[in-house]
Amino acid sequence: AQSVTQLDSQVPVFEEAPVELRCNYSSSVSVYLFWYVQYPNQGLQLLLKYLSGSTLVKGINGFEAEFNKSQTSFHLRKPSVHISDTAEYFCAVQGSNYKLTFGKGTLLTVNP
Amino acid sequence: GAGVSQSPSNKVTEKGKDVELRCDPISGHTALYWYRQSLGQGLEFLIYFQGNSAPDKSGLPSDRFSAERTGGSVSTLTIQRTQQEDSAVYLCASSLGGPSGGYTFGSGTRLTVV
């Protein structure tokens, strides 16, 4: 079984500041890792994914994440955020059974 | 279709009534998932269909919940004798069945039990 911990439930930042949303996972098997974003009253949209290969993964909207196997982390970063990045962000892990296990989410609020 | 379609988008029902939620996945996607999203609870896995295999029902919270997928396409999630704690957003997702593509989610059905 796998689990995901998103260390911050809320992250407020100012526009154009950098941001890091933290995610740690636990699993007894190799996993695939994902970040999803949910804008208000919408479904989840895939931001980026790590399947194998380079540990630095680039996604949409300028986001990137780094897979760190020794620390079992997959933190999401953006060097400069915009007001439009305000949303809830979910980290997820997928094992061999293809079931996605989600963290509880981090609400990113970008203030002017 | 172009995306995963869920209906209705909103449903208000009286406690004790049965409800049916519908999901129309992306054409050609063999895997279909139902999740429940409640305030403060994140996303909770409910059930997973993959092709003609027996579904993984391990996430269904009680025997009041059931789901079927007809013809490998449209899925219906049924909640019998609804309770107030069933109030949540029910999200459906589909995928090609492997991890490489990730899931595509619908916009969800917001269920309110009064």
Side-chain angles (χ1 to χ4, degrees):
Chain A
Q2 49 257 12
S3 65
V4 178
T5 302
Q6 291 185 242
L7 296 154
D8 305 295
S9 59
Q10 297 187 53
V11 174
V13 294
F14 288 109
E15 193 173 18
E16 298 183 7
V19 71
E20 178 180 81
L21 306 184
R22 296 179 294 168
C23 172
N24 285 91
Y25 70 93
S26 68
S27 176
S28 57
V29 298
S30 296
V31 295
Y32 307 107
L33 295 156
F34 303 82
W35 275 97
Y36 283 83
V37 60
Q38 186 177 34
Y39 298 102
N41 300 314
Q42 294 187 27
L44 277 76
Q45 180 183 358
L46 181 65
L47 264 182
L48 49 78
K49 60 190 177 189
Y50 171 78
L51 303 180
S52 64
S54 172
T55 57
L56 182 62
V57 180
K58 293 190 184 297
I60 62 171
N61 301 339
F63 283 92
E64 63 181 32
E66 185 153 22
F67 170 57
N68 187 319
K69 188 174 182 179
S70 63
Q71 297 186 6
T72 60
S73 68
F74 191 55
H75 301 333
L76 181 70
R77 302 185 182 100
K78 186 169 182 179
S80 175
V81 294
H82 303 291
I83 299 282
S84 59
D85 292 324
T86 295
E88 189 145 27
Y89 292 78
F90 292 91
C91 181
V93 61
Q94 186 176 42
S96 58
N97 64 1
Y98 303 128
K99 183 166 67 179
L100 268 182
T101 300
F102 287 88
K104 291 192 182 297
T106 297
L107 179 61
L108 175 64
T109 304
V110 182
N111 298 300
Chain B
V4 177
S5 177
Q6 291 188 246
S7 61
S9 54
N10 280 284
K11 176 73 177 178
V12 179
T13 189
E14 291 182 353
K15 178 180 171 181
K17 295 284 177 90
D18 298 351
V19 294
E20 285 189 353
L21 312 180
R22 177 188 166 103
C23 172
D24 203 338
I26 291 174
S27 178
H29 278 191
T30 59
L32 186 147
Y33 314 79
W34 283 97
Y35 280 80
R36 179 167 70 175
Q37 186 175 23
S38 308
L39 260 178
Q41 297 299 314
L43 285 102
E44 175 189 11
F45 166 79
L46 296 178
I47 188 168
Y48 160 58
F49 297 90
Q50 170 58 54
N52 295 320
S53 302
D56 176 355
K57 304 179 182 180
S58 59
L60 295 178
S62 78
D63 59 8
R64 295 186 296 105
F65 288 72
S66 63
E68 62 176 21
R69 188 178 185 192
T70 52
S73 181
V74 172
S75 177
T76 303
L77 177 69
T78 302
I79 309 173
Q80 296 178 309
R81 305 181 303 281
T82 52
Q83 304 294 314
Q84 287 187 328
E85 60 263 28
D86 299 334
S87 296
V89 176
Y90 289 82
L91 290 166
C92 175
S94 70
S95 78
L96 289 169
S100 59
Y103 294 12
T104 301
F105 280 85
S107 296
T109 294
R110 182 176 297 278
L111 175 66
T112 304
V113 182
V114 298

